[in-house]
């Protein structure tokens, strides 16, 4: 993954950290808040025969964590596309197989040049 500028890289990571922090806050509120702090109020409601506070402590936090994982993946794919660092699942097709060694050599030269310049 390479960015066009250090400013774009900084903006990308700032948005990434903001997303992670907000999702962790949601998970904390659901797991700690609903499962421990607000358990007495939630136990007034029943869900499937169980008190809602008990359900959140035993199942709800786990389900919310799984939902937040999918939300994170979706939002990160959007963020990657926004900053031009999205990686396609399919490799680029080569139209000419005879050119393959030349392309590999070109990539090797670029990698070597980056290493000499201190890049990765």
């Amino acid at each position: 993954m390479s960015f066009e500028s250090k400013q774009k890289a900084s903006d990308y990571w700032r948005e990434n950290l903001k997303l992670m922090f907000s999702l962790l806050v949601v998970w904390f509120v659901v797991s700690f808040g609903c499962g421990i702090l607000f358990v007495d109020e939630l136990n007034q409601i029943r869900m499937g025969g169980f008190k809602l506070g008990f359900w959140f402590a035993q199942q709800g936090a786990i389900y919310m964590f799984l939902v937040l994982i999918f939300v994170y993946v979706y939002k990160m794919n959007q963020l990657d596309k926004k900053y031009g660092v999205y990686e396609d699942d399919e490799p680029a097709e080569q139209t000419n197989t005879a050119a393959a060694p030349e392309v590999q050599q070109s990539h090797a030269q670029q990698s070597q040049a980056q290493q000499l310049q201190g890049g990765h």
Side-chain angles (χ1 to χ4, degrees), residues 56-77:
F56 267 109
Q58 299 301 313
Q59 301 293 326
I62 296 169
Y63 290 144
M64 181 56 71
F65 182 67
L66 292 174
V67 167
L68 291 177
I69 289 171
F70 288 107
V71 169
Y72 179 74
V73 168
Y74 176 76
K75 297 298 281 182
M76 282 305 298
N77 282 336

Side-chain angles (χ1 to χ4, degrees), residues 67-119:
V67 167
L68 291 177
I69 289 171
F70 288 107
V71 169
Y72 179 74
V73 168
Y74 176 76
K75 297 298 281 182
M76 282 305 298
N77 282 336
Q78 286 182 332
L79 189 64
D80 288 348
K81 287 178 184 177
K82 177 180 175 181
Y83 285 95
V85 292
Y86 184 76
E87 297 178 10
D88 290 329
D89 291 338
E90 298 180 19
E93 294 183 23
Q94 295 179 351
T95 55
N96 186 358
T97 57
E102 296 170 2
V103 171
Q104 290 175 353
Q105 184 178 9
S106 173
H107 288 297
Q109 290 172 347
Q110 288 175 354
S111 296
Q112 186 178 20
Q114 286 178 347
Q115 288 175 352
L116 292 174
Q117 293 174 355

Side-chain angles (χ1 to χ4, degrees), residues 20-40:
M20 281 195 301
F21 180 74
S22 61
L23 294 177
L24 285 172
V25 166
V26 169
W27 189 40
F28 176 79
V29 168
V30 170
S31 63
F32 189 74
C34 295
I36 297 172
L37 296 178
F38 308 119
V39 71
D40 293 331

